[in-house]
Amino acid sequence: MTVLNAVTVLNMVQAVATCLVLAVLVYLLVRAPGNVPLRAITVTVASFILTVLFSATATAGAIMLGVAPLIARLAQHLGMLIGGYSLIAFYLFSALDRDQARRQAMRQAIPLTVAAVLELVATVGMPADLHTAAATLAYAAPGAAATPPEPTVAVFYLAPNLYLGYACATAVWWTRRYAQGAEPRLRHGLALASVGLAALAVGEVVFVLATTAQWAGLAVPRWVYPLGLWAIIPGTAVFMIGFAYPAICMRLAALRVWWHHRRTYHHLEPLWTLLHQQFPEDTLNQMPAGRWRDKVSLHGVHRRYYRRVIECRDGLVRISPYLTPTSNDDTTSLADRLRDALQARATGNTAPNQAVPVAIPAVDGLDADVRELVALSKAMRHVGPPNPTPQPRH
């Protein structure tokens, strides 16, 4: 694989990882719009995406929506500055109280402002005949010959790279500090993020040194700029994954609970169906629209799960007076007795008004109770159904 192909693959990985992380952050931000650290890190990730788009446009020398390549490169650099500052703001508002964070954020705005002013001054003062070469990285291409010391072009690239390197180094320090007292999932995510940030800082240092040497009249070896890319591109992906790691773990845990509730809901169907036929008035909500739709529906899983558990337990309490007493408490025997009890009630037999315990777990807790109900429901599949039509009661 050539260096160009490898960089292309890494760019694709970076783009996919960044877009996935941005989607997760936007989802979380919609749910918690007042979360300042979340807003800051969302701006950071969004700015990374914009810088990649503007960078590709500028490097190709293309005019996008009437924007000249140099302006696209300027937009990329300003995006780098905003992303770096937002990254620092994320840590400040995460680790400090609101007032302290605001004071620190104001101080951190000073180097940001200096870098932005230098960037704008360099753009305005750059000779017109150098615009295309500066935007397309002609002077910074691997193996390019030494170039005349044009200060505006040098400042144009040094300002954003220096500031982003500073922001990444600062973020690494805050990450290691913040991770010390964090819970395991967050600690692991921050550890990944710190590795990515360290790689980003190294890449920025490479670019700063290479740019300085280039405009000092020195020939930059062919392997220097790819070295910076090999640090920055995977570093960005690792950083994104690290920040998304806690949220992804939480979503996966929630998905496991969702899947468990959905499976349990359907496992309870045999028991629930028999009890519902006898006690339709105990239904807590409207019946499912249809058997097939109930099978494939992905909405309201938790609500339907808890509703079915409660309805099954209520039905067992209602039918319990009809159960014949026995010393055999295994699930198969209980399923046979429950079938007979349902048959007895359906044919109009009377029973005492005193409810008796049915399918009571050995330990307390909802999960233990549900396991007993599921075991009984599975056992009901293997016994003959009672008469499903109850007689009118007076």
Side-chain angles (χ1 to χ4, degrees):
M1 180 182 291
T2 65
V3 172
L4 180 60
N5 290 335
V7 170
T8 301
V9 171
L10 288 174
N11 269 317
M12 292 175 61
V13 172
Q14 177 194 25
V16 171
T18 306
C19 290
L20 289 176
V21 171
L22 182 61
V24 172
L25 291 174
V26 169
Y27 167 76
L28 295 175
L29 188 59
V30 169
R31 300 186 58 163
N35 190 319
V36 177
L38 186 58
R39 288 207 305 262
I41 198 63
T42 303
V43 171
T44 298
V45 176
S47 70
F48 281 178
I49 294 177
L50 291 177
T51 58
V52 171
L53 294 176
F54 282 116
S55 175
T57 301
T59 302
I63 297 178
M64 181 179 65
L65 301 176
V67 176
L70 182 65
I71 303 304
R73 186 68 69 184
L74 174 63
Q76 176 210 352
H77 289 176
L78 293 177
M80 292 167 61
L81 299 179
I82 294 172
Y85 179 77
S86 299
L87 181 62
I88 294 175
F90 165 78
Y91 286 102
L92 293 178
F93 284 94
S94 297
L96 304 176
D97 63 63
R98 184 64 63 89
D99 291 336
Q100 285 183 312
R102 284 175 177 169
R103 289 194 295 270
Q104 288 286 346
M106 291 296 292
R107 295 190 187 99
Q108 291 294 338
I110 296 174
L112 169 70
T113 303
V114 171
V117 169
L118 288 174
E119 187 71 10
L120 293 172
V121 170
T123 304
V124 173
M126 189 181 302
D129 59 337
L130 297 181
H131 284 187
T132 300
T136 57
L137 300 174
Y139 294 149
T147 58
E150 172 52 51
T152 56
V153 179
V155 171
F156 185 75
Y157 282 100
L158 285 175
N161 285 318
L162 276 172
Y163 180 79
L164 191 57
Y166 161 76
C168 290
T170 302
V172 169
W173 182 82
W174 276 105
T175 300
R176 303 309 300 177
R177 177 181 175 182
Y178 190 46
Q180 293 177 0
E183 55 91 17
R185 281 183 301 197
L186 181 57
R187 186 168 61 250
H188 295 157
L190 290 174
L192 277 175
S194 67
V195 172
L197 288 169
L200 284 169
V202 169
E204 295 299 335
V205 169
V206 170
F207 284 149
V208 167
L209 294 177
T211 302
T212 303
Q214 189 85 9
W215 268 268
L218 302 177
V220 178
R222 182 177 297 273
W223 49 266
V224 172
Y225 284 100
L227 179 63
L229 290 175
W230 278 98
I232 286 178
I233 296 176
T236 302
V238 172
F239 164 72
M240 298 296 174
I241 294 171
F243 259 95
Y245 179 81
I248 292 173
C249 287
M250 291 178 63
R251 290 295 95 198
L252 290 176
L255 181 61
R256 285 194 295 269
V257 173
W258 178 91
W259 180 249
H260 171 69
H261 283 182
R262 188 172 187 275
R263 290 179 67 239
T264 303
Y265 172 82
H266 292 298
H267 286 161
L268 289 172
E269 183 177 2
L271 176 62
W272 177 86
T273 301
L274 293 173
L275 293 172
H276 176 76
Q277 289 170 352
Q278 292 291 325
F279 309 107
E281 67 275 11
D282 287 349
T283 303
L284 298 177
N285 205 340
Q286 62 182 4
M287 282 285 290
R291 183 182 180 87
W292 175 248
R293 184 175 176 182
D294 190 46
K295 286 285 188 183
V296 301
S297 177
L298 303 178
H299 300 289
V301 169
H302 302 302
R303 174 180 54 81
R304 290 187 290 143
Y305 162 81
Y306 289 114
R307 185 188 68 196
R308 179 157 288 185
V309 169
I310 294 171
E311 289 174 354
C312 285
R313 182 52 70 186
D314 287 347
L316 289 178
V317 172
R318 294 281 297 275
I319 198 64
S320 65
Y322 290 87
L323 290 171
T324 56
T326 179
S327 59
N328 190 350
D329 292 332
D330 66 86
T331 305
T332 302
S333 172
L334 178 57
D336 290 330
R337 292 163 52 215
L338 181 58
R339 178 203 57 191
D340 295 339
L342 292 169
Q343 181 68 50
R345 186 183 186 281
T347 56
N349 292 352
T350 59
N353 292 327
Q354 182 65 39
V356 297
V358 181
I360 302 301
V363 296
D364 295 332
L366 177 62
D367 291 340
D369 192 37
V370 171
R371 284 194 293 269
E372 290 291 331
L373 294 177
V374 168
L376 178 57
S377 183
K378 290 180 177 179
M380 295 300 294
R381 294 178 183 271
H382 306 294
V383 300
N387 182 358
T389 305
Q391 299 297 321
R393 318 193 76 78
H394 303 285

